[in-house]
Amino acid sequence: MIPERLSDCLYYLVTRASLTATAALRRGLVEAGLEAVRPAYLGALLCLWQEDDAKTAELGRRAGLEPSTMTGLLDRMERDGLVLRRADPEDRRAQRIKLTERGRKAQRPVMRVVDATLDRITSGFSKSELAELGALLQRLIAAARAGEEAER
């Protein structure tokens, strides 16, 4: 059924929220002189900042990205000087992803921009509302993933 108003369509709202937050983050990164770090890189970067030198498949799983998405993402991250790919010495079929010095040094300034952007765009929410929003989004993601797995 077509909603009367776009604001009645949950898909539209989730998509608009994501796109708007991404645009705000992109602006913040550019203003901070961090244009080599794109919002799309954050999932992989966060995982590598936690544990560097990961197999491509493991990094994709941890970041919640499909293998086909990882290939293009890593191409761009490598082009932008944030990561290096090398053959896994224990498994010729696998590659390992390692942060470059530029990728490691980007962590603090990038996280300052992420934190400032999130603080700004969520300033009208209480801590309990933000906790509830986070929990609801996690449930939405889990339900969508369960639906994808059921279709396979």
Side-chain angles (χ1 to χ4, degrees):
M1 176 153 98
I2 297 174
E4 259 183 59
R5 300 172 305 188
L6 283 175
S7 61
D8 292 333
C9 176
L10 182 59
Y11 177 79
Y12 173 80
L13 292 173
V14 169
T15 303
R16 289 304 315 149
S18 176
L19 292 171
T20 303
T22 299
L25 181 56
R26 184 179 310 111
R27 279 191 308 276
L29 290 167
V30 168
E31 289 168 7
L34 299 163
E35 45 280 313
V37 178
R38 306 189 188 238
Y41 300 171
L42 281 179
L45 283 173
L46 288 167
C47 292
L48 289 167
W49 288 332
Q50 288 176 340
E51 185 180 329
D52 196 5
D53 197 23
K55 284 186 178 184
T56 303
E58 174 64 16
L59 179 61
R61 187 191 61 73
R62 288 175 39 217
L65 299 171
E66 295 293 324
S68 58
T69 302
M70 282 301 299
T71 301
L73 184 75
L74 291 172
D75 286 345
R76 292 187 303 278
M77 291 176 72
E78 193 170 33
R79 176 202 67 205
D80 291 338
L82 299 168
V83 299
L84 292 172
R85 286 188 267 203
R86 62 178 175 84
D88 187 321
E90 297 171 13
D91 180 356
R92 294 184 325 188
R93 299 166 297 161
Q95 287 188 322
R96 297 195 73 84
I97 310 304
K98 187 161 181 58
L99 289 165
T100 62
E101 183 175 348
R102 182 181 197 182
R104 280 189 303 281
K105 286 183 175 181
Q107 180 180 355
R108 281 197 177 97
V110 166
M111 291 312 299
R112 278 195 294 271
V113 171
V114 169
D115 290 343
T117 301
L118 289 175
D119 286 349
R120 185 174 55 76
I121 67 176
T122 62
S123 64
F125 294 87
S126 70
K127 287 187 187 226
S128 64
E129 286 174 321
L130 289 174
E132 183 177 5
L133 177 61
L136 291 170
L137 290 171
Q138 287 177 11
R139 284 177 48 200
L140 183 90
I141 292 166
R145 285 187 178 150
E148 289 172 3
E149 290 173 11
E151 291 173 0
R152 291 180 189 170

